[in-house]
Amino acid sequence: MKKICAVGILVLLALCSYSQKGSIENVYDITLRNAGVIKEDAQVKGYYFFYVSDKIDKKNNEFILSISDNNLKKIKDIKFQDSKNITILNSAFNGSELAFVLHNEMSDKLEYKIFSSDGKLKHSYINELEGWFEVEKMGKGPRTEDQLKQSLYGEIYPIKGEGFISKVLEKSGRSFNLTYYSGKSKKQWSYKPTGKFKMSGAFFLGTINNKILFHVIKFNGIFDKNPESSIIALDIETGKLLFENSTYNSKYKLFPSKITDVGNSKGVVYSEYYSADAAIVKDKSMGFALSEIDENGQLIKEKQFSWKEGLEKYFVVSDKGKIDDFGFLFIHDITQTDNGDLFLIGEGFKTSGLKTHTTDLMLLHFNKAMDLKEARIFPKQSNPVNLDGGGGLMSNQTKGIIMKQEQKFDYAYTVENFDKTSFTIGYTNYQKDKNYKGITFNSISYYEGKLTTDKLFNNSEATISAVLPAKQGQVLVLDYFKKDKRLEFHFEKMN
Amino acid sequence: MIKAFVLLFLFLSNTFAIAQVTPVYNFQKDDPVLKKKYVEEASQQQKILINNLANEYKRDFIRVYDDRFKEVETLLQSSRIVTSSEPFNYLNAILKRIVDANKELKGIKIRMVFSRDRWPNAYSMGEGTIVINAGLMTFLDNEAELVFVLCHELAHYYLDHGNNAIKKNIERINSDEYKKEIRRLSKKEYRVNEQLDSLVKKITFGNRRHSREFEAEADRKAFEFMKKTGYDLNAIKTCLQMLEKVDDSMLFNPLNLEQSFDFKDYPFKKRWIKNESLLFDQVNSDLSLKERNDQDSLKTHPDCEMRIDLLKDSISTLNNGQKFLENESYFKQLKKDFLVEMLVQDYRDENLTRNLYYSLVMLQKGENTPMAVISVIRVLNKIYDNQKIHQIAKTMEKESNHFSEDYNLLLRMFDRLKLDELANLNHHFCKHYEAQMEGYEGFSNEMDTANKNAK
């Protein structure tokens, strides 16, 4: 059976599945356990491959973390001994240190290993988990254990030149714990949301001037349709809560999902906005807003784009914010080019009763003053989506968040080039015609004001093919030949 | 009468057409008969070798010899081997000088050929085939240096180093000690790979040590062969010194990419080659002492300085030979020709970035300019085609610490070029050379393709 998987998590799984069935060229009988991309912001800087290189004793193995640059030239093999039960969940690169999240399933501990730029282990941090994974495994739905582990424990975000912040669900499953691990010295702090609430969730927004920003929502019960929503900022040195600004005001309720650091201690937040009396979990949003904020969370300027008036110049939009044939918009990423222009990268989805399916990709181009310059739809196949929780009574925004968490969208990633003059969006699609039947990997590239699209067919004879992000304008294609137990890599340029 | 007139017209028009097209370069034409003869000879020698094998480990020997023969056969049948009469005769005339001067070499069955391979190397396959790469030839200063190279490879063959190494390895893997160690490891459950690694290293280090001993022995024997030829023995020293620091910069000035691709209507973009921050960029220069020791132990050749040291007394007592005895002007011409043959071979082998690099370097140097221009346009068209259909991976190298800085810049640039930039670049390159290239064979076709791509 031929498969093509797109990037990130899916690719990790593809590689995991190799490990269970074979080894690389049988040399030393090394079994590949995991692999992934090392990114700095939206730039691919390298790759890691994690595998068992030897059995040390009954309980421990020797592991190798093999680090390659973005041309796949090996630059360092990091050897260490650890429990045989560890798996790698994620990595992050903050420009000077590289962090890996490892999970020991037997002892239910998370280990954060931080390596310096010479490849030496700088710090190691342990986080005890108290058996939450075993409970959660029962309700993992179509997700694999690795996907589930990654979403529960694997979240880690780099803080440029400083350290890393992780988000881990608490054992109760109803709240979260943010822990900061310094890369400079062995120092850590944790933050738990406070106040009266029954459940809470947090979404990493980004950093402005080393202030770590999260969007936090607090529910008063599992049926609370109108949770509190705020942007919080944590002090990088102490973890102290610097501000907690509600995203609701007397006119609108904002539901932020992305922030991009635009320099000069400012950030631009993308939110959907609702009427002041809306229940954001179930009601429809009125449009989206771009808000420029300073490092203290103070609003500098804001532009709102109602679904109807904001986009009708480009598309036919219903009063409910539904774009003809496109459905509702979910924003995956914001990217800013060197001239200050902002691009919102979104994907459509439609719902009909309990059925949901993804639609096309959309790119919204704003100038530095946050005026919409262009909006374009990039058609793709409509793919059905099975949501674990059904999602019938949720607002479209909530549904989009769940689809994102469950990796149901076709969008894969956005990578920028080193000087931010160009970026490439990657996504998968399905094609069936007389020449080809199967998954394609597609790209939309922006360069010097022009947008180009390209498509990669999977014509490989490999048992499994996978696509990993690479330098902007390229992809890394992995082909696994099960019979030969052989893994092949090559880069291809996307035009 | 009319028929005769028409025929005359056709003849004249053809002549006219031929006269309008100037070939960019006269390529060496290979001799398929000679290739076939060499394969047959190699096959005969292989049969004799196998027939004379003793019974001990016979199957192992046959397997290794068969593999080696397949390699030789593939090489001799490939376009890499130069069988064109002039270079072939030149090489074999020098070989004859060596053989004639050394009675012990009389009757030796040798197939000595040049290859179009780029890397500076010469090698004996161990069964009578000796290959001198064009890449090595371009670095040699005189015939005497070439003679030292030939004598060194002849010495390997004469001393049977290739077959001795095979014998040693086969005896090792069949030894009680080795088998016992493998059995022991297969029963172990823990730290198996660590011990396997150490065993592999022990064997590799041992092989490499023998290899270095063979090299030193071949140098000594090469000196014995060479001293009777009348060639300048100081060439041994200059050749080894050159090998110590062999680098493209000894042949060319570094490629100036900006100059090569800067056009009035399409200026060079600094962004194409600008540095970007790397991941773990300090690691490569920070090898541990153990890693450095391992690297030294893995070397197949002793340091050239050490090789010079071992021979310096012998050289100084007998140094009265000539730098050229056979044909100085042809030697120099061959060096130039081989640069072209090498880059064309890179194109055949689909190493497009190497082909582009050497074409640009040749253009910058002002050597074989029409050939270099056509070669650049052709390879840019090919890169464009491959990039368009996502087939670029196997034809373009990636930046590496092992490559020269200027070649890495070229790789970076072509790694970053978008499809339309590639087309525009070639279009403007054609425009720049259009007047100069008028009438040269192949130019208008390649230019038409480049212009079509740029539309």
Side-chain angles (χ1 to χ4, degrees):
Chain A
M1 186 178 68
K2 279 206 248 173
K3 288 178 188 170
I4 185 165
C5 310
V7 298
I9 310 303
L10 288 178
V11 169
L12 298 182
L13 292 166
L15 285 167
C16 284
S17 65
Y18 303 163
S19 68
Q20 287 152 17
K21 294 162 189 166
S23 56
I24 307 170
E25 302 286 1
N26 289 328
V27 180
Y28 292 169
D29 195 30
I30 292 172
T31 308
L32 188 65
R33 295 292 300 268
N34 223 326
V37 181
I38 299 166
K39 282 172 95 179
E40 184 183 3
D41 300 328
Q43 291 173 37
V44 172
K45 292 292 178 190
Y47 302 90
Y48 67 84
F49 300 90
F50 180 65
Y51 53 88
V52 177
S53 54
D54 219 342
K55 286 181 184 175
I56 297 300
D57 52 39
K58 263 186 180 175
K59 292 180 179 170
N60 298 296
N61 282 341
E62 181 187 75
F63 296 92
I64 288 183
L65 251 173
S66 186
I67 314 287
S68 302
D69 69 7
N70 54 10
N71 284 327
L72 266 188
K73 294 275 183 309
K74 187 159 90 174
I75 49 178
K76 187 82 182 172
D77 270 349
I78 300 166
K79 234 182 219 187
F80 61 92
Q81 291 179 13
D82 212 318
S83 159
K84 66 176 184 181
N85 300 304
I86 62 163
T87 51
I88 198 159
L89 295 186
N90 209 348
S91 79
F93 180 56
N94 71 1
S96 49
E97 281 109 15
L98 188 56
F100 290 95
V101 187
L102 304 162
H103 178 234
N104 184 329
E105 204 170 315
M106 288 300 280
S107 62
D108 215 12
K109 282 178 187 164
L110 285 176
E111 191 176 355
Y112 297 84
K113 282 184 184 289
I114 297 177
F115 296 92
S116 58
S117 62
D118 59 1
K120 288 178 186 145
L121 181 67
K122 212 169 168 186
H123 309 296
S124 190
Y125 300 93
I126 300 286
N127 188 353
E128 312 254 353
L129 286 168
E130 305 165 329
W132 165 237
F133 181 64
E134 287 306 311
V135 181
E136 187 67 15
K137 238 172 21 180
M138 292 156 70
K140 71 182 173 66
R143 285 181 286 182
T144 65
E145 267 187 32
D146 284 337
Q147 274 174 310
L148 180 68
K149 259 194 218 178
Q150 196 146 34
S151 69
L152 295 178
Y153 311 139
E155 280 190 50
I156 185 162
Y157 305 97
I159 313 297
K160 213 166 186 92
E162 296 288 341
F164 303 87
I165 188 141
S166 76
K167 189 187 99 180
V168 174
L169 269 187
E170 285 201 327
K171 189 182 177 183
S172 66
R174 296 191 171 190
S175 190
F176 59 89
N177 198 348
L178 304 177
T179 308
Y180 174 78
Y181 302 101
S182 170
K184 288 179 172 171
S185 56
K186 187 148 185 179
K187 191 174 83 177
Q188 71 184 89
W189 51 253
S190 288
Y191 170 84
K192 283 182 185 184
T194 53
K196 282 185 180 174
F197 60 89
K198 294 271 169 54
M199 286 168 66
S200 68
F203 305 93
F204 180 68
L205 290 174
T207 55
I208 303 178
N209 261 6
N210 282 344
K211 286 174 181 165
I212 305 168
L213 306 182
F214 276 86
H215 174 217
V216 173
I217 43 176
K218 293 173 182 171
F219 296 84
N220 284 321
I222 53 171
F223 298 111
D224 183 0
K225 301 284 184 257
N226 201 13
E228 285 177 40
S229 162
S230 57
I231 291 178
I232 65 162
L234 302 171
D235 181 87
I236 198 162
E237 290 300 323
T238 60
K240 191 182 149 197
L241 182 67
L242 296 171
F243 62 80
E244 183 166 11
N245 295 344
S246 172
T247 62
Y248 300 162
N249 60 38
S250 56
K251 284 184 181 170
Y252 300 110
K253 284 179 174 172
L254 290 174
F255 195 90
S257 61
K258 288 280 164 198
I259 191 169
T260 187
D261 184 343
V262 292
N264 298 326
S265 309
K266 292 178 203 161
V268 170
V269 185
Y270 168 86
S271 316
E272 284 191 26
Y273 68 93
Y274 297 77
S275 64
D277 58 351
I280 61 165
V281 173
K282 69 174 183 62
D283 289 347
K284 290 179 174 61
S285 63
M286 297 166 72
F288 65 90
L290 291 175
S291 321
E292 191 172 283
I293 58 167
D294 66 14
E295 60 180 312
N296 299 314
Q298 295 304 310
L299 187 69
I300 300 167
K301 65 177 173 187
E302 188 168 278
K303 288 212 172 169
Q304 284 155 359
F305 303 84
S306 78
W307 296 123
K308 181 80 179 151
E309 286 83 26
L311 294 178
E312 70 180 355
K313 185 179 160 193
Y314 304 95
F315 318 112
V316 180
V317 189
S318 76
D319 291 337
K320 291 176 181 174
K322 196 172 173 183
I323 302 159
D324 253 10
D325 299 328
F326 181 84
F328 298 101
L329 174 67
F330 180 82
I331 294 295
H332 290 292
D333 255 314
I334 305 180
T335 189
Q336 190 185 32
T337 48
D338 63 332
N339 63 356
D341 282 8
L342 285 167
F343 292 82
L344 298 189
I345 301 132
E347 187 172 350
F349 61 96
K350 278 181 174 176
T351 49
S352 167
L354 288 174
K355 286 180 184 169
T356 303
H357 56 265
T358 62
T359 62
D360 303 328
L361 245 70
M362 186 187 285
L363 190 66
L364 301 167
H365 180 180
F366 300 84
N367 62 17
K368 211 174 175 179
M370 300 194 306
D371 299 318
L372 184 59
K373 280 174 76 178
E374 195 189 359
R376 259 179 82 174
I377 284 177
F378 297 86
K380 64 176 176 62
Q381 184 77 25
S382 172
N383 290 315
V385 169
N386 292 316
L387 288 177
D388 290 355
L393 296 171
M394 296 168 188
S395 73
N396 292 314
Q397 169 131 22
T398 313
K399 206 174 282 178
I401 292 167
I402 290 171
M403 283 168 70
K404 182 79 177 172
Q405 276 177 344
E406 293 184 5
Q407 297 155 19
K408 300 290 165 62
F409 281 113
D410 299 321
Y411 168 85
Y413 62 81
T414 299
V415 285
E416 296 166 351
N417 72 340
F418 67 100
D419 61 0
K420 288 177 155 263
T421 53
S422 183
F423 64 85
T424 297
I425 301 158
Y427 64 97
T428 52
N429 198 8
Y430 183 79
Q431 186 171 319
K432 187 182 175 185
D433 56 37
K434 60 177 182 175
N435 299 317
Y436 184 82
K437 184 185 167 189
I439 303 282
T440 60
F441 186 80
N442 300 49
S443 69
I444 302 165
S445 294
Y446 173 84
Y447 183 57
E448 292 187 337
K450 277 187 284 184
L451 284 167
T452 54
T453 57
D454 201 4
K455 190 191 294 184
L456 199 63
F457 295 99
N458 178 24
N459 293 316
S460 163
E461 294 296 316
T463 322
I464 298 173
S465 292
V467 178
L468 250 74
K471 279 187 277 189
Q472 188 268 330
Q474 302 186 21
V475 288
L476 174 63
V477 180
L478 297 99
D479 287 321
Y480 175 62
F481 299 86
K482 190 179 172 188
K483 197 176 163 192
D484 306 332
K485 296 183 170 69
R486 181 164 46 93
L487 185 63
E488 286 185 358
F489 309 80
H490 69 273
F491 289 98
E492 280 307 339
K493 287 176 95 169
M494 301 302 285
N495 301 307
Chain B
M1 180 64 191
I2 292 168
K3 193 178 169 189
F5 177 78
V6 170
L7 283 173
L8 180 67
F9 174 77
L10 284 174
F11 171 75
L12 287 175
S13 57
N14 270 340
T15 314
F16 179 74
I18 291 162
Q20 287 301 299
V21 177
T22 313
V24 287
Y25 179 76
N26 290 317
F27 291 98
Q28 292 169 352
K29 289 187 177 58
D30 283 327
D31 180 352
V33 178
L34 181 64
K35 282 188 171 189
K36 198 176 166 198
K37 183 181 153 231
Y38 266 13
V39 173
E40 279 164 9
E41 259 183 45
S43 168
Q44 279 303 112
Q45 265 176 287
Q46 167 82 352
K47 275 178 199 156
I48 295 166
L49 188 68
I50 288 174
N51 287 340
N52 290 336
L53 279 174
N55 280 335
E56 198 178 24
Y57 318 132
K58 194 171 178 178
R59 278 174 58 188
D60 288 337
F61 278 104
I62 291 174
R63 191 168 45 81
V64 177
Y65 287 155
D66 277 350
D67 285 348
R68 182 174 69 182
F69 175 70
K70 274 178 207 151
E71 213 178 311
V72 170
E73 189 182 31
T74 309
L75 176 75
L76 292 174
Q77 286 170 340
S78 74
S79 61
R80 290 161 59 198
I81 294 303
V82 180
T83 50
S84 175
S85 62
E86 254 192 307
F88 179 81
N89 290 340
Y90 174 70
L91 182 64
N92 280 278
I94 295 174
L95 173 65
K96 188 171 179 301
R97 277 178 185 275
I98 302 167
V99 174
D100 288 351
N102 289 280
K103 281 182 189 163
E104 54 201 309
L105 292 174
K106 287 268 178 320
I108 196 165
K109 282 186 179 167
I110 292 285
R111 290 168 294 283
M112 177 92 68
V113 283
F114 283 121
S115 86
R116 295 182 172 88
D117 290 333
R118 175 183 15 95
W119 44 97
N121 195 16
Y123 51 96
S124 162
M125 295 294 291
E127 41 64 78
T129 306
I130 291 176
V131 184
I132 318 296
N133 288 356
L136 178 62
M137 213 18 221
T138 56
F139 284 101
L140 298 178
D141 256 350
N142 50 57
E143 244 170 39
E145 287 184 355
L146 175 62
V147 167
F148 170 64
V149 172
L150 302 191
C151 286
H152 178 89
E153 297 311 324
L154 274 170
H156 275 311
Y157 182 59
Y158 179 79
L159 298 166
D160 209 13
H161 285 159
N163 290 336
N164 284 341
I166 291 171
K167 186 166 176 267
K168 202 161 262 180
N169 275 328
I170 289 177
E171 282 172 353
R172 182 187 289 118
I173 59 165
N174 286 291
S175 70
D176 290 342
E177 186 198 4
Y178 181 82
K179 284 179 176 168
K180 200 174 138 192
E181 183 62 7
I182 295 293
R183 270 199 302 274
R184 188 185 71 80
L185 284 178
S186 64
K187 284 176 193 161
K188 284 205 68 126
E189 197 179 344
Y190 302 115
R191 295 185 185 272
V192 181
N193 290 334
E194 185 187 317
Q195 293 172 71
L196 204 55
D197 189 48
S198 133
L199 179 67
V200 169
K201 269 192 183 145
K202 197 172 141 193
I203 293 169
T204 313
F205 291 168
N207 281 346
R208 298 293 155 92
R209 197 183 62 246
H210 284 304
S211 176
R212 290 196 296 275
E213 285 164 8
F214 284 161
E215 291 304 322
E217 196 185 6
D219 278 346
R220 286 195 296 275
K221 195 69 195 171
F223 171 76
E224 294 296 320
F225 290 154
M226 193 175 170
K227 73 180 182 188
K228 297 171 197 162
T229 59
Y231 277 102
D232 179 8
L233 292 173
N234 197 46
I236 298 177
K237 196 175 151 188
T238 56
C239 182
L240 289 173
Q241 279 168 340
M242 177 275 291
L243 288 172
E244 181 77 19
K245 53 184 180 183
V246 65
D247 188 278
D248 279 350
S249 63
M250 290 163 71
L251 297 176
F252 329 107
N253 289 326
L255 176 64
N256 188 333
L257 263 181
E258 192 164 344
Q259 213 169 58
S260 305
F261 289 119
D262 188 37
F263 309 107
K264 196 180 155 212
D265 299 331
Y266 199 67
F268 187 86
K269 294 176 191 172
K270 297 247 189 244
R271 185 193 306 143
W272 287 336
I273 54 169
K274 197 177 164 188
N275 261 329
E276 61 182 291
S277 67
L278 300 170
L279 174 74
F280 282 9
D281 44 2
Q282 304 143 1
V283 171
N284 276 342
S285 58
D286 186 32
L287 289 177
S288 68
L289 186 64
K290 187 179 177 304
E291 282 168 322
R292 280 201 296 272
N293 284 341
D294 281 0
Q295 281 195 351
D296 284 345
S297 307
L298 286 165
K299 277 187 178 172
T300 55
H301 284 54
D303 285 339
C304 289
E305 284 303 326
M306 205 185 286
R307 291 170 72 181
I308 294 167
D309 227 35
L310 290 171
L311 293 172
K312 71 175 180 202
D313 292 341
S314 314
I315 294 168
S316 62
T317 54
L318 284 166
N319 195 11
N320 55 2
Q322 301 293 309
K323 283 191 166 60
F324 290 95
L325 286 172
E326 188 63 38
N327 191 337
E328 182 174 354
S329 64
Y330 186 70
F331 177 89
K332 287 175 179 163
Q333 184 57 45
L334 197 56
K335 278 176 53 134
K336 284 185 183 176
D337 291 350
F338 270 169
L339 189 61
V340 181
E341 296 288 334
M342 268 159 52
L343 74 87
V344 173
Q345 187 60 34
D346 277 329
Y347 188 83
R348 281 193 205 113
D349 292 343
E350 296 224 303
N351 189 340
L352 301 185
T353 42
R354 277 285 170 191
N355 173 265
L356 176 62
Y357 175 71
Y358 287 114
S359 305
L360 288 168
V361 157
M362 206 158 68
L363 187 62
Q364 183 176 278
K365 208 178 170 189
E367 252 177 38
N368 295 309
T369 301
M371 167 67 204
V373 171
I374 288 266
S375 186
V376 171
I377 302 168
R378 180 177 68 163
V379 75
L380 290 180
N381 279 335
K382 181 82 175 163
I383 292 172
Y384 178 92
D385 287 346
N386 285 355
Q387 189 162 324
K388 198 172 175 185
I389 57 165
H390 307 119
Q391 291 294 324
I392 207 74
K394 286 158 196 157
T395 60
M396 289 179 76
E397 291 182 312
K398 289 265 180 188
E399 282 184 68
S400 160
N401 290 344
H402 306 297
F403 298 153
S404 64
E405 203 178 320
D406 58 337
Y407 182 54
N408 271 334
L409 280 186
L410 176 115
L411 295 178
R412 186 182 301 166
M413 175 176 165
F414 280 82
D415 202 43
R416 287 181 185 165
L417 282 182
K418 315 283 175 197
L419 197 64
D420 61 340
E421 287 177 320
L422 200 51
N424 280 323
L425 204 65
N426 205 8
H427 167 71
H428 286 91
F429 186 88
C430 289
K431 221 168 126 184
H432 185 75
Y433 286 99
E434 193 173 1
Q436 199 179 330
M437 290 297 291
E438 196 181 341
Y440 277 102
E441 189 180 13
F443 177 75
S444 61
N445 281 348
E446 293 294 345
M447 186 175 69
D448 287 349
T449 309
N451 292 343
K452 204 169 77 190
N453 291 340
K455 271 179 189 167

